[in-house]
Amino acid sequence: MDTEIGSPAVNITIFAIFVAITLVIVLRASKNNRTAADYYAGGRAFTGQQNGIAIAGDYLSAASFLGIAGAIAIYGYDGFLYSIGFLVAWLVALLLVAELLRNTGRFTMADVLSFRMRQRPVRTAAATSTLAVSFFYLLAQMAGAGGLVALLLGVTDRGGQGVVIGVVGALMVFYVLVGGMKGTTWVQIIKAILLITGAFVMTIWVLAQHDFNLSQLLGAAVDSAGGAAGLLDPMNQYGATDTSKLDFISLALALVLGTAGLPHVLMRFYTVPTARDARHSVTWAIALIGLFYLLTLVLGYGAGALVGPEEILGAPGGVNSAAPLLAFELGGTILLGIIAAVAFATILAVVAGLTITASASFAHDVYANVIKKGEVAANDEVRVARLTAVVIGAVAIVGGILANGQNVAFLVALAFAVAASANLPVILYSLFWRRFNTSGAVWSIYGGLLTAVTLIVFSPVVSGKPENPETGRSLSMIQDVDFHWFPLDNPGIISIPAGFLFGFIGTRLSKEYNKAKYAEMEVRSLSGAGAEKATVAH
Protein backbone atom coordinates (compact mmCIF):
# COMPACT_ATOMS: atom_id res chain seq x y z
CA MET A 1 0.00 0.00 0.00
CA ASP A 2 1.05 3.66 -0.23
CA THR A 3 3.18 4.95 2.60
CA GLU A 4 1.28 8.23 2.50
CA ILE A 5 -2.38 8.49 3.48
CA GLY A 6 -4.34 11.61 2.61
CA SER A 7 -2.56 14.94 2.19
CA PRO A 8 0.40 15.66 4.51
CA ALA A 9 -0.13 19.40 3.93
CA VAL A 10 -3.77 19.20 5.13
CA ASN A 11 -2.78 17.03 8.09
CA ILE A 12 -0.05 19.45 9.18
CA THR A 13 -2.30 22.51 8.69
CA ILE A 14 -5.13 21.14 10.87
CA PHE A 15 -2.65 20.07 13.53
CA ALA A 16 -0.92 23.49 13.45
CA ILE A 17 -4.30 25.23 13.98
CA PHE A 18 -4.95 23.09 17.05
CA VAL A 19 -1.46 23.73 18.45
CA ALA A 20 -1.89 27.48 17.92
CA ILE A 21 -5.24 27.52 19.78
CA THR A 22 -3.87 25.52 22.72
CA LEU A 23 -0.74 27.66 22.94
CA VAL A 24 -2.91 30.78 23.27
CA ILE A 25 -4.89 29.08 26.08
CA VAL A 26 -1.70 27.99 27.85
CA LEU A 27 -0.20 31.49 27.62
CA ARG A 28 -3.40 33.05 29.04
CA ALA A 29 -3.51 30.50 31.87
CA SER A 30 0.14 31.17 32.72
CA LYS A 31 -0.66 34.77 33.75
CA ASN A 32 -2.26 33.47 36.95
CA ASN A 33 0.61 31.16 37.97
CA ARG A 34 1.81 33.07 41.06
CA THR A 35 2.18 30.38 43.74
CA ALA A 36 3.20 26.73 44.01
CA ALA A 37 -0.50 25.84 44.44
CA ASP A 38 -1.24 27.60 41.12
CA TYR A 39 1.55 25.74 39.31
CA TYR A 40 0.96 22.28 40.81
CA ALA A 41 -2.80 22.25 41.45
CA GLY A 42 -4.26 24.98 39.23
CA GLY A 43 -4.99 27.08 42.32
CA ARG A 44 -7.65 24.47 43.26
CA ALA A 45 -9.99 26.57 41.14
CA PHE A 46 -11.66 23.88 38.98
CA THR A 47 -15.18 22.54 39.55
CA GLY A 48 -15.93 18.83 39.83
CA GLN A 49 -17.37 18.83 36.30
CA GLN A 50 -14.38 20.62 34.78
CA ASN A 51 -11.95 18.36 36.61
CA GLY A 52 -13.93 15.25 35.59
CA ILE A 53 -13.67 16.25 31.92
CA ALA A 54 -9.94 16.96 32.41
CA ILE A 55 -9.45 13.55 34.08
CA ALA A 56 -11.12 11.95 31.06
CA GLY A 57 -8.78 13.98 28.86
CA ASP A 58 -5.80 12.84 30.91
CA TYR A 59 -6.90 9.19 30.99
CA LEU A 60 -8.08 8.74 27.39
CA SER A 61 -4.58 8.56 26.02
CA ALA A 62 -3.13 7.38 22.73
CA ALA A 63 -3.62 3.87 24.13
CA SER A 64 -7.38 4.38 24.36
CA PHE A 65 -7.83 5.93 20.93
CA LEU A 66 -5.13 4.37 18.75
CA GLY A 67 -4.13 1.22 20.63
CA ILE A 68 -7.55 -0.15 21.64
CA ALA A 69 -9.19 0.57 18.28
CA GLY A 70 -6.29 -1.27 16.61
CA ALA A 71 -6.43 -4.16 19.09
CA ILE A 72 -10.18 -4.63 18.48
CA ALA A 73 -9.71 -4.42 14.70
CA ILE A 74 -7.02 -7.14 14.74
CA TYR A 75 -7.93 -9.32 17.73
CA GLY A 76 -11.64 -8.60 18.12
CA TYR A 77 -13.16 -9.38 21.51
CA ASP A 78 -9.78 -9.63 23.27
CA GLY A 79 -8.95 -6.07 22.23
CA PHE A 80 -12.11 -4.85 23.96
CA LEU A 81 -10.87 -6.40 27.22
CA TYR A 82 -8.47 -3.44 27.49
CA SER A 83 -11.49 -1.08 27.49
CA ILE A 84 -13.26 -3.13 30.16
CA GLY A 85 -10.18 -3.21 32.37
CA PHE A 86 -9.47 0.51 32.01
CA LEU A 87 -13.09 1.36 32.89
CA VAL A 88 -13.65 -1.06 35.80
CA ALA A 89 -10.45 0.32 37.35
CA TRP A 90 -12.27 3.57 38.10
CA LEU A 91 -14.46 1.85 40.67
CA VAL A 92 -11.35 1.13 42.73
CA ALA A 93 -10.30 4.79 42.40
CA LEU A 94 -13.78 6.10 43.29
CA LEU A 95 -14.57 3.80 46.21
CA LEU A 96 -11.18 3.51 47.88
CA VAL A 97 -8.91 6.39 46.95
CA ALA A 98 -10.26 9.65 45.43
CA GLU A 99 -11.91 11.43 48.37
CA LEU A 100 -9.52 10.17 51.07
CA LEU A 101 -6.48 11.18 49.03
CA ARG A 102 -7.89 14.64 48.28
CA ASN A 103 -8.53 15.27 51.98
CA THR A 104 -5.14 14.09 53.22
CA GLY A 105 -2.61 15.52 50.74
CA ARG A 106 -1.66 18.86 49.18
CA PHE A 107 0.12 18.41 45.84
CA THR A 108 1.49 14.87 45.38
CA MET A 109 0.90 11.25 46.32
CA ALA A 110 3.87 11.43 48.72
CA ASP A 111 2.04 14.02 50.85
CA VAL A 112 -0.41 11.27 51.82
CA LEU A 113 2.13 8.46 52.19
CA SER A 114 4.45 10.49 54.42
CA PHE A 115 1.68 12.02 56.57
CA ARG A 116 2.25 9.76 59.61
CA MET A 117 5.76 8.54 58.77
CA ARG A 118 9.34 9.77 58.53
CA GLN A 119 9.31 12.25 55.66
CA ARG A 120 12.60 11.76 53.86
CA PRO A 121 12.72 8.00 53.12
CA VAL A 122 9.02 7.82 52.20
CA ARG A 123 9.07 10.91 49.96
CA THR A 124 12.21 9.68 48.18
CA ALA A 125 10.61 6.27 47.54
CA ALA A 126 7.31 7.80 46.36
CA ALA A 127 9.09 10.21 44.00
CA THR A 128 11.11 7.29 42.57
CA SER A 129 7.99 5.25 41.81
CA THR A 130 6.20 8.33 40.38
CA LEU A 131 9.07 8.93 37.96
CA ALA A 132 9.15 5.23 36.96
CA VAL A 133 5.39 5.04 36.23
CA SER A 134 5.50 8.34 34.36
CA PHE A 135 8.41 7.07 32.24
CA PHE A 136 6.56 3.91 31.14
CA TYR A 137 3.41 5.91 30.37
CA LEU A 138 5.42 8.49 28.43
CA LEU A 139 6.95 5.67 26.36
CA ALA A 140 3.47 4.72 25.16
CA GLN A 141 2.46 8.25 24.21
CA MET A 142 5.69 8.91 22.33
CA ALA A 143 5.40 5.59 20.48
CA GLY A 144 1.87 6.62 19.48
CA ALA A 145 3.21 9.95 18.18
CA GLY A 146 5.83 8.19 16.05
CA GLY A 147 3.34 5.77 14.51
CA LEU A 148 0.76 8.47 13.82
CA VAL A 149 3.24 10.71 12.04
CA ALA A 150 4.60 7.82 10.03
CA LEU A 151 1.09 7.30 8.71
CA LEU A 152 0.11 10.93 8.14
CA LEU A 153 3.28 12.37 6.70
CA GLY A 154 4.60 9.28 4.94
CA VAL A 155 7.70 9.31 7.18
CA THR A 156 8.67 5.65 7.10
CA ASP A 157 12.34 5.73 8.19
CA ARG A 158 12.92 5.54 11.94
CA GLY A 159 15.24 8.58 11.88
CA GLY A 160 12.46 10.79 10.51
CA GLN A 161 9.99 9.41 13.04
CA GLY A 162 12.53 10.12 15.78
CA VAL A 163 12.67 13.79 14.72
CA VAL A 164 8.87 14.00 14.95
CA ILE A 165 8.87 12.39 18.41
CA GLY A 166 11.40 15.07 19.40
CA VAL A 167 9.10 17.86 18.17
CA VAL A 168 6.14 16.44 20.14
CA GLY A 169 8.33 16.21 23.25
CA ALA A 170 9.52 19.81 22.89
CA LEU A 171 5.94 21.07 22.50
CA MET A 172 4.78 19.23 25.60
CA VAL A 173 7.66 20.61 27.69
CA PHE A 174 6.69 24.13 26.57
CA TYR A 175 3.07 23.56 27.69
CA VAL A 176 4.25 22.50 31.14
CA LEU A 177 6.93 25.18 31.56
CA VAL A 178 4.57 28.01 30.67
CA GLY A 179 1.08 26.85 31.66
CA GLY A 180 1.63 24.69 34.74
CA MET A 181 -1.38 22.68 35.91
CA LYS A 182 -3.88 25.38 34.85
CA GLY A 183 -2.74 25.43 31.24
CA THR A 184 -2.44 21.64 31.14
CA THR A 185 -5.96 21.21 32.56
CA TRP A 186 -7.56 23.46 29.93
CA VAL A 187 -5.71 21.63 27.15
CA GLN A 188 -7.03 18.33 28.57
CA ILE A 189 -10.63 19.65 28.77
CA ILE A 190 -10.57 20.81 25.12
CA LYS A 191 -8.93 17.61 23.99
CA ALA A 192 -11.47 15.40 25.83
CA ILE A 193 -14.38 17.21 24.18
CA LEU A 194 -12.74 16.97 20.73
CA LEU A 195 -11.84 13.30 21.16
CA ILE A 196 -15.27 12.14 22.35
CA THR A 197 -17.02 14.25 19.67
CA GLY A 198 -14.74 12.91 16.92
CA ALA A 199 -15.22 9.31 18.07
CA PHE A 200 -19.01 9.81 18.30
CA VAL A 201 -19.23 11.21 14.74
CA MET A 202 -17.15 8.33 13.37
CA THR A 203 -19.25 5.78 15.30
CA ILE A 204 -22.52 7.11 13.82
CA TRP A 205 -20.88 7.13 10.36
CA VAL A 206 -19.73 3.50 10.69
CA LEU A 207 -23.14 2.33 11.97
CA ALA A 208 -24.91 4.23 9.16
CA GLN A 209 -22.91 2.22 6.63
CA HIS A 210 -24.26 -0.97 8.24
CA ASP A 211 -27.91 0.12 8.58
CA PHE A 212 -27.38 0.86 12.30
CA ASN A 213 -27.24 -2.89 12.83
CA LEU A 214 -24.41 -3.98 15.14
CA SER A 215 -24.72 -7.63 14.08
CA GLN A 216 -24.25 -6.62 10.46
CA LEU A 217 -21.11 -4.65 11.40
CA LEU A 218 -19.65 -7.59 13.34
CA GLY A 219 -20.40 -9.92 10.42
CA ALA A 220 -18.65 -7.54 8.00
CA ALA A 221 -15.57 -7.45 10.27
CA VAL A 222 -15.45 -11.27 10.32
CA ASP A 223 -15.79 -11.39 6.51
CA SER A 224 -13.04 -8.81 6.08
CA ALA A 225 -10.74 -10.94 8.26
CA GLY A 226 -11.31 -13.91 5.95
CA GLY A 227 -14.03 -15.51 8.04
CA ALA A 228 -12.02 -15.48 11.27
CA ALA A 229 -14.97 -16.06 13.61
CA GLY A 230 -12.49 -15.88 16.51
CA LEU A 231 -12.86 -12.10 16.27
CA LEU A 232 -16.12 -12.49 18.17
CA ASP A 233 -14.88 -15.10 20.64
CA PRO A 234 -13.15 -14.46 23.96
CA MET A 235 -9.52 -15.62 24.35
CA ASN A 236 -8.78 -15.35 20.63
CA GLN A 237 -5.46 -13.70 21.45
CA TYR A 238 -4.87 -15.06 24.96
CA GLY A 239 -6.34 -18.56 24.89
CA ALA A 240 -3.80 -20.42 22.77
CA THR A 241 -1.52 -21.66 25.58
CA ASP A 242 -1.39 -21.82 29.37
CA THR A 243 1.22 -19.04 29.29
CA SER A 244 -1.04 -16.73 27.28
CA LYS A 245 -3.94 -17.43 29.69
CA LEU A 246 -1.71 -16.47 32.62
CA ASP A 247 -0.67 -13.38 30.67
CA PHE A 248 -4.32 -12.42 30.33
CA ILE A 249 -4.93 -12.70 34.10
CA SER A 250 -1.77 -10.69 34.71
CA LEU A 251 -2.90 -8.00 32.25
CA ALA A 252 -6.40 -7.85 33.78
CA LEU A 253 -4.97 -7.40 37.31
CA ALA A 254 -2.68 -4.60 36.10
CA LEU A 255 -5.49 -2.77 34.28
CA VAL A 256 -8.05 -2.99 37.09
CA LEU A 257 -5.69 -2.14 39.96
CA GLY A 258 -3.35 0.26 38.14
CA THR A 259 -5.56 3.35 37.78
CA ALA A 260 -5.80 4.00 41.53
CA GLY A 261 -1.99 4.12 41.63
CA LEU A 262 -1.33 6.36 38.62
CA PRO A 263 0.35 9.54 39.94
CA HIS A 264 -0.91 11.82 37.15
CA VAL A 265 -4.52 10.74 37.81
CA LEU A 266 -4.13 11.03 41.60
CA MET A 267 -2.68 14.54 41.27
CA ARG A 268 -5.83 15.71 39.48
CA PHE A 269 -7.82 15.24 42.71
CA TYR A 270 -5.90 18.19 44.21
CA THR A 271 -7.15 20.68 41.60
CA VAL A 272 -10.64 20.91 43.18
CA PRO A 273 -11.55 22.85 46.35
CA THR A 274 -13.54 20.17 48.24
CA ALA A 275 -13.77 16.42 48.73
CA ARG A 276 -17.30 16.49 47.28
CA ASP A 277 -15.83 17.97 44.09
CA ALA A 278 -13.26 15.16 44.03
CA ARG A 279 -16.12 12.61 44.08
CA HIS A 280 -18.01 14.52 41.37
CA SER A 281 -14.82 14.56 39.30
CA VAL A 282 -14.63 10.78 39.32
CA THR A 283 -18.32 10.25 38.50
CA TRP A 284 -18.03 12.65 35.54
CA ALA A 285 -14.85 10.88 34.44
CA ILE A 286 -16.49 7.42 34.65
CA ALA A 287 -19.46 8.58 32.54
CA LEU A 288 -17.29 10.12 29.81
CA ILE A 289 -14.69 7.35 29.78
CA GLY A 290 -17.42 4.65 29.71
CA LEU A 291 -19.12 6.34 26.76
CA PHE A 292 -15.83 6.60 24.89
CA TYR A 293 -14.96 2.93 25.39
CA LEU A 294 -18.36 1.89 24.02
CA LEU A 295 -17.53 3.97 20.94
CA THR A 296 -14.14 2.24 20.56
CA LEU A 297 -15.96 -1.09 20.16
CA VAL A 298 -17.70 0.23 17.03
CA LEU A 299 -14.56 2.01 15.79
CA GLY A 300 -12.41 -1.11 16.19
CA TYR A 301 -14.80 -3.48 14.43
CA GLY A 302 -15.56 -0.71 11.90
CA ALA A 303 -11.86 -0.46 11.04
CA GLY A 304 -11.70 -4.24 10.73
CA ALA A 305 -14.74 -4.26 8.40
CA LEU A 306 -14.03 -1.20 6.22
CA VAL A 307 -10.21 -1.12 6.17
CA GLY A 308 -9.25 -4.73 6.84
CA PRO A 309 -6.60 -6.29 9.10
CA GLU A 310 -4.00 -6.68 6.34
CA GLU A 311 -4.04 -3.01 5.41
CA ILE A 312 -3.91 -1.94 9.07
CA LEU A 313 -0.91 -4.16 9.85
CA GLY A 314 0.79 -3.09 6.62
CA ALA A 315 0.50 0.64 7.38
CA PRO A 316 3.59 2.51 8.67
CA GLY A 317 1.99 2.91 12.12
CA GLY A 318 1.00 -0.76 12.30
CA VAL A 319 -1.84 -1.71 14.65
CA ASN A 320 -2.01 1.89 15.97
CA SER A 321 -3.14 3.08 12.50
CA ALA A 322 -6.65 1.57 12.65
CA ALA A 323 -8.55 4.71 13.76
CA PRO A 324 -6.82 7.14 11.33
CA LEU A 325 -7.23 4.68 8.43
CA LEU A 326 -10.93 4.31 9.30
CA ALA A 327 -11.28 8.12 9.28
CA PHE A 328 -9.67 8.25 5.83
CA GLU A 329 -11.97 5.47 4.58
CA LEU A 330 -15.05 7.32 5.86
CA GLY A 331 -14.38 10.99 5.19
CA GLY A 332 -11.24 11.20 3.08
CA THR A 333 -8.43 13.66 3.61
CA ILE A 334 -10.29 16.24 5.73
CA LEU A 335 -11.73 13.80 8.29
CA LEU A 336 -8.35 12.07 8.50
CA GLY A 337 -6.70 15.44 9.18
CA ILE A 338 -9.21 16.27 11.92
CA ILE A 339 -8.98 12.86 13.61
CA ALA A 340 -5.19 12.94 13.32
CA ALA A 341 -5.11 16.38 14.98
CA VAL A 342 -7.34 15.04 17.77
CA ALA A 343 -4.99 12.07 18.21
CA PHE A 344 -2.01 14.42 18.37
CA ALA A 345 -3.91 16.58 20.86
CA THR A 346 -4.49 13.43 22.89
CA ILE A 347 -0.79 12.67 22.99
CA LEU A 348 0.21 16.26 23.83
CA ALA A 349 -2.37 16.63 26.62
CA VAL A 350 -1.56 13.32 28.30
CA VAL A 351 2.18 13.83 28.01
CA ALA A 352 1.87 17.33 29.49
CA GLY A 353 -0.10 15.89 32.43
CA LEU A 354 2.53 13.19 33.01
CA THR A 355 5.38 15.66 32.78
CA ILE A 356 3.94 18.11 35.32
CA THR A 357 3.23 15.22 37.71
CA ALA A 358 6.75 13.84 37.48
CA SER A 359 8.39 17.27 37.76
CA ALA A 360 6.15 18.25 40.72
CA SER A 361 7.03 15.01 42.48
CA PHE A 362 10.76 15.62 42.14
CA ALA A 363 10.61 19.33 43.06
CA HIS A 364 8.07 19.08 45.91
CA ASP A 365 9.09 15.72 47.41
CA VAL A 366 12.81 15.31 46.70
CA TYR A 367 14.13 18.88 46.38
CA ALA A 368 11.90 20.78 48.83
CA ASN A 369 11.30 18.13 51.50
CA VAL A 370 14.31 15.78 51.29
CA ILE A 371 17.23 17.93 50.11
CA LYS A 372 16.09 21.28 51.61
CA LYS A 373 14.19 19.66 54.54
CA GLY A 374 11.11 21.82 53.95
CA GLU A 375 12.99 25.13 54.13
CA VAL A 376 12.59 26.40 50.59
CA ALA A 377 10.85 29.35 48.92
CA ALA A 378 7.86 28.45 46.70
CA ASN A 379 9.48 30.21 43.74
CA ASP A 380 12.61 28.06 44.04
CA GLU A 381 10.50 24.92 44.18
CA VAL A 382 8.59 25.87 41.01
CA ARG A 383 11.87 26.76 39.26
CA VAL A 384 13.24 23.28 40.05
CA ALA A 385 9.97 21.73 38.81
CA ARG A 386 10.41 23.53 35.48
CA LEU A 387 14.03 22.36 35.14
CA THR A 388 12.93 18.81 35.93
CA ALA A 389 10.25 19.02 33.22
CA VAL A 390 12.97 19.71 30.63
CA VAL A 391 15.00 16.67 31.75
CA ILE A 392 11.92 14.42 31.78
CA GLY A 393 11.03 15.63 28.28
CA ALA A 394 14.50 14.65 27.01
CA VAL A 395 14.29 11.18 28.61
CA ALA A 396 10.77 10.67 27.17
CA ILE A 397 11.98 11.54 23.67
CA VAL A 398 14.82 8.98 23.82
CA GLY A 399 12.50 6.31 25.28
CA GLY A 400 9.81 7.05 22.69
CA ILE A 401 12.28 6.54 19.85
CA LEU A 402 13.22 3.13 21.31
CA ALA A 403 9.58 2.07 21.84
CA ASN A 404 8.41 3.27 18.41
CA GLY A 405 6.33 0.58 16.68
CA GLN A 406 4.95 -1.13 19.81
CA ASN A 407 1.17 -1.29 20.42
CA VAL A 408 0.55 1.71 22.68
CA ALA A 409 -2.31 0.04 24.57
CA PHE A 410 0.11 -2.68 25.53
CA LEU A 411 2.83 -0.25 26.63
CA VAL A 412 0.33 1.59 28.84
CA ALA A 413 -0.57 -1.75 30.44
CA LEU A 414 3.08 -1.96 31.59
CA ALA A 415 2.75 1.46 33.26
CA PHE A 416 -0.41 0.22 34.98
CA ALA A 417 1.46 -2.87 36.23
CA VAL A 418 4.22 -0.72 37.74
CA ALA A 419 1.63 1.65 39.34
CA ALA A 420 -0.39 -1.26 40.77
CA SER A 421 2.77 -2.91 42.16
CA ALA A 422 4.62 0.10 43.61
CA ASN A 423 1.90 2.64 44.47
CA LEU A 424 -1.44 0.95 45.15
CA PRO A 425 -0.30 -1.32 48.04
CA VAL A 426 1.30 1.57 49.93
CA ILE A 427 -1.68 3.91 49.32
CA LEU A 428 -4.18 1.34 50.63
CA TYR A 429 -1.97 0.40 53.59
CA SER A 430 -1.45 4.09 54.47
CA LEU A 431 -5.17 4.88 54.40
CA PHE A 432 -6.57 1.74 56.02
CA TRP A 433 -3.91 -0.13 58.09
CA ARG A 434 -3.41 1.38 61.55
CA ARG A 435 -0.12 -0.49 62.20
CA PHE A 436 1.55 0.54 58.88
CA ASN A 437 4.85 2.41 59.28
CA THR A 438 7.84 3.95 57.47
CA SER A 439 9.67 0.65 57.03
CA GLY A 440 6.57 -0.94 55.47
CA ALA A 441 6.07 2.00 53.09
CA VAL A 442 9.66 1.94 51.86
CA TRP A 443 9.69 -1.86 51.48
CA SER A 444 6.36 -1.81 49.65
CA ILE A 445 7.30 0.87 47.14
CA TYR A 446 10.82 -0.34 46.33
CA GLY A 447 9.86 -4.02 46.49
CA GLY A 448 6.88 -3.66 44.14
CA LEU A 449 8.78 -1.30 41.82
CA LEU A 450 11.92 -3.43 41.52
CA THR A 451 9.90 -6.63 41.04
CA ALA A 452 7.77 -5.07 38.27
CA VAL A 453 10.63 -3.34 36.44
CA THR A 454 12.95 -6.37 36.66
CA LEU A 455 10.28 -8.71 35.25
CA ILE A 456 9.52 -6.23 32.43
CA VAL A 457 13.21 -5.89 31.50
CA PHE A 458 13.60 -9.68 31.29
CA SER A 459 10.25 -10.29 29.56
CA PRO A 460 9.55 -10.92 25.86
CA VAL A 461 8.40 -7.28 25.58
CA VAL A 462 12.02 -6.09 25.72
CA SER A 463 13.77 -8.96 23.89
CA GLY A 464 13.24 -12.36 22.33
CA LYS A 465 9.99 -12.11 20.35
CA PRO A 466 9.92 -13.41 16.75
CA GLU A 467 9.86 -11.08 13.74
CA ASN A 468 6.64 -9.57 12.44
CA PRO A 469 6.31 -10.95 8.87
CA GLU A 470 4.71 -7.65 7.73
CA THR A 471 7.54 -5.37 8.84
CA GLY A 472 10.50 -7.73 9.20
CA ARG A 473 11.17 -6.31 12.67
CA SER A 474 11.05 -8.16 15.98
CA LEU A 475 7.95 -7.48 18.10
CA SER A 476 10.29 -6.75 21.05
CA MET A 477 11.72 -3.31 21.86
CA ILE A 478 15.35 -4.36 21.38
CA GLN A 479 16.12 -6.08 18.09
CA ASP A 480 18.29 -9.11 17.36
CA VAL A 481 19.01 -10.11 20.98
CA ASP A 482 17.29 -12.41 23.43
CA PHE A 483 17.95 -12.19 27.17
CA HIS A 484 14.42 -12.83 28.43
CA TRP A 485 13.71 -15.50 31.05
CA PHE A 486 10.33 -14.33 32.40
CA PRO A 487 7.66 -15.87 30.13
CA LEU A 488 4.81 -13.34 30.56
CA ASP A 489 4.43 -10.00 28.74
CA ASN A 490 2.84 -8.30 31.77
CA PRO A 491 4.33 -8.83 35.27
CA GLY A 492 1.18 -7.89 37.28
CA ILE A 493 0.32 -11.39 38.52
CA ILE A 494 3.69 -11.61 40.33
CA SER A 495 4.62 -7.98 41.05
CA ILE A 496 1.28 -6.74 42.51
CA PRO A 497 1.08 -9.40 45.28
CA ALA A 498 4.83 -8.79 45.83
CA GLY A 499 4.15 -5.09 46.56
CA PHE A 500 1.56 -6.01 49.20
CA LEU A 501 3.79 -8.73 50.67
CA PHE A 502 6.86 -6.48 50.94
CA GLY A 503 4.74 -3.83 52.68
CA PHE A 504 3.46 -6.39 55.20
CA ILE A 505 6.94 -7.81 55.93
CA GLY A 506 8.54 -4.37 56.21
CA THR A 507 5.87 -3.21 58.67
CA ARG A 508 6.22 -6.31 60.86
CA LEU A 509 10.03 -5.95 60.99
CA SER A 510 9.75 -2.47 62.54
CA LYS A 511 8.27 -1.53 65.93
CA GLU A 512 7.58 2.09 64.80
CA TYR A 513 3.95 3.19 65.07
CA ASN A 514 2.54 6.72 65.50
CA LYS A 515 -0.91 6.24 67.00
CA ALA A 516 -1.75 9.96 67.32
CA LYS A 517 -0.78 10.71 63.73
CA TYR A 518 -2.88 7.82 62.43
CA ALA A 519 -5.91 9.13 64.35
CA GLU A 520 -5.35 12.60 62.86
CA MET A 521 -4.98 11.15 59.37
CA GLU A 522 -8.14 9.08 59.78
CA VAL A 523 -10.20 12.14 60.81
CA ARG A 524 -8.75 14.27 58.01
CA SER A 525 -9.19 11.62 55.30
CA LEU A 526 -12.84 11.02 56.21
CA SER A 527 -13.91 14.60 56.92
CA GLY A 528 -11.50 16.89 55.10
CA ALA A 529 -10.97 18.88 58.33
CA GLY A 530 -7.53 20.47 58.26
CA ALA A 531 -6.79 19.81 54.60
CA GLU A 532 -5.62 22.85 52.61
CA LYS A 533 -8.64 24.79 51.34
CA ALA A 534 -10.82 21.80 52.14
CA THR A 535 -14.31 22.02 53.57
CA VAL A 536 -16.12 19.30 55.43
CA ALA A 537 -18.47 17.57 52.95
CA HIS A 538 -21.76 16.67 54.63
Side-chain angles (χ1 to χ4, degrees), residues 189-239:
I189 288 171
I190 292 166
K191 168 245 146 160
I193 293 167
L194 285 174
L195 181 62
I196 293 169
T197 304
F200 186 76
V201 169
M202 283 174 65
T203 298
I204 298 297
W205 207 324
V206 167
L207 288 173
Q209 297 213 357
H210 297 89
D211 301 326
F212 291 96
N213 185 329
L214 192 58
S215 296
Q216 190 176 320
L217 169 63
L218 298 177
V222 170
D223 292 341
S224 182
L231 278 179
L232 307 181
D233 295 335
M235 307 311 281
N236 178 29
Q237 182 185 3
Y238 293 106

Side-chain angles (χ1 to χ4, degrees), residues 28-40 42-43 178-180 182 377-380 382-383 386:
R28 287 195 63 177
S30 69
K31 292 176 183 175
N32 297 320
N33 276 341
R34 295 188 183 89
T35 66
D38 288 332
Y39 187 78
Y40 293 144
V178 176
K182 266 187 187 159
N379 288 346
D380 285 346
V382 172
R383 180 176 54 79
R386 288 185 162 130

Side-chain angles (χ1 to χ4, degrees), residues 414-438:
L414 295 183
F416 273 62
V418 177
S421 307
N423 294 346
L424 184 66
V426 73
I427 289 170
L428 294 182
Y429 279 152
S430 293
L431 292 172
F432 299 110
W433 188 15
R434 188 184 301 270
R435 173 77 174 74
F436 196 52
N437 55 32
T438 303

